[in-house]
Amino acid sequence: MSEQQPEPVPAAGPDPAVEVDAGVVADETPVEPDVVAEEQIAFDVNDFPGGARGAIEAVLMVVDEPVTEMALASALELPVDDVRSHLEELEAEYAAQQRGFTLRSVAGGWRVYSRSDYAPVVEKFLLDGQQAKLTQASLETLAVIAYRQPISRSRVSAVRGVNVDGVVRTLVNRGLIEELGTETEGGAVLYGTTAYFLQRLGLGSLDDLPALAPYLPEIDVLDEIAEQGRG
C-alpha cells in the first residue's frame, strides 16, 4: 500500500486586492511643495521693465479710489514696508520732476492726482467753463454734518434755520454723506461724511479738517434750538 503524499501547498503570492490598492497608491504621486509654490506665483515684479515701482504705477493708473499699502503688497507679492518705500520714492520723484500729476496718501490709501498747480487747465478741459459746484445751501449743510457727525437732519435744520431734507438727499446722491445709523431715542437717521468726501477735499482723515468746530453749537444747544423751532 503506497503512502499517500500530502497535497502541495501553493506558494504565497501577492494578494490581487493588495496589488490593486498598491497600484492606486502608486498613481497618487505626491506633489512637491516647490511645485505648488511655483503655480501660485504668477509673476516676479523684478522681471518687469520698471520693476516693482513700475508695477505699482500700473496698478495706481487703474484704480478709481485710494488703494491701501496692504492691498498693493498683496497684489504685487511684496512686503508692506517695501511697497511703502516705493510709494514715498515715487511721490518724491514726481515732485522733483515737477510732473503734472502727484502721488498722495488720502483716506487711508494712495492714489494719483493731477497736481493742484494745473487746476485751471484741468477744470477748463473737464467743465468747459461750466462750474459744476455745490450750492451754498449744500455747502453749509455739508459743513455742519462734517463737523458735528453723526447728526440728524433736524439738528442740521436747527443750525441752518431751514429745512434741509432736499439738500441732504442731494448730498447722499453725490456720495458725500451717508447714513450712519439711528438715534437711540426717537430713531432719527444719523448722517456722516463718506470716504469720497475725504477724497474730494484731499484729506487723510476728519482730523485734517480746519478748526471750525468751535464756532458751531454743541449738540445740546442744537437740541434746544430744535425744540424751540418745534414750539
Side-chain angles (χ1 to χ4, degrees), residues 35-190:
V35 175
V36 176
E38 290 177 0
E39 292 178 353
Q40 292 178 347
I41 299 176
F43 56 79
D44 184 343
V45 292
N46 295 319
D47 293 337
F48 295 116
R53 291 172 62 181
I56 291 174
E57 288 180 314
V59 173
L60 292 174
M61 287 298 122
V62 299
V63 299
D64 55 5
E65 60 184 17
V67 59
T68 65
E69 295 169 359
M70 182 65 72
L72 285 171
S74 177
L76 276 60
E77 299 178 353
L78 290 173
V80 175
D81 289 342
D82 289 358
V83 170
R84 183 181 302 112
S85 177
H86 287 309
L87 288 167
E88 292 172 351
E89 290 174 2
L90 285 171
E91 182 180 20
E93 179 182 311
Y94 297 159
Q97 296 176 352
Q98 297 184 339
R99 305 296 294 269
F101 52 87
T102 183
L103 185 59
R104 294 164 57 189
S105 176
V106 173
W110 292 78
R111 185 181 178 186
V112 174
Y113 292 86
S114 60
R115 192 172 297 279
S116 59
D117 298 338
Y118 299 94
V121 66
V122 173
E123 181 177 313
K124 185 176 186 300
F125 174 76
L126 294 177
L127 304 179
D128 193 24
Q130 297 179 1
Q131 302 292 326
K133 295 182 178 180
L134 291 173
T135 64
Q136 185 66 28
S138 296
L139 289 173
E140 292 175 359
T141 301
L142 183 58
V144 173
I145 294 174
Y147 284 101
R148 283 289 179 262
Q149 60 184 304
I151 187 171
S152 64
R153 283 180 295 183
S154 63
R155 286 178 172 173
V156 177
S157 297
V159 174
R160 296 201 55 238
V162 295
N163 185 288
V164 297
D165 290 358
V167 177
V168 167
R169 284 194 297 269
T170 297
L171 294 175
V172 170
N173 291 335
R174 293 202 177 191
L176 295 170
I177 64 172
E178 61 185 349
E179 295 183 7
L180 298 181
T182 57
E183 289 182 331
T184 304
E185 298 180 2
V189 176
L190 299 174

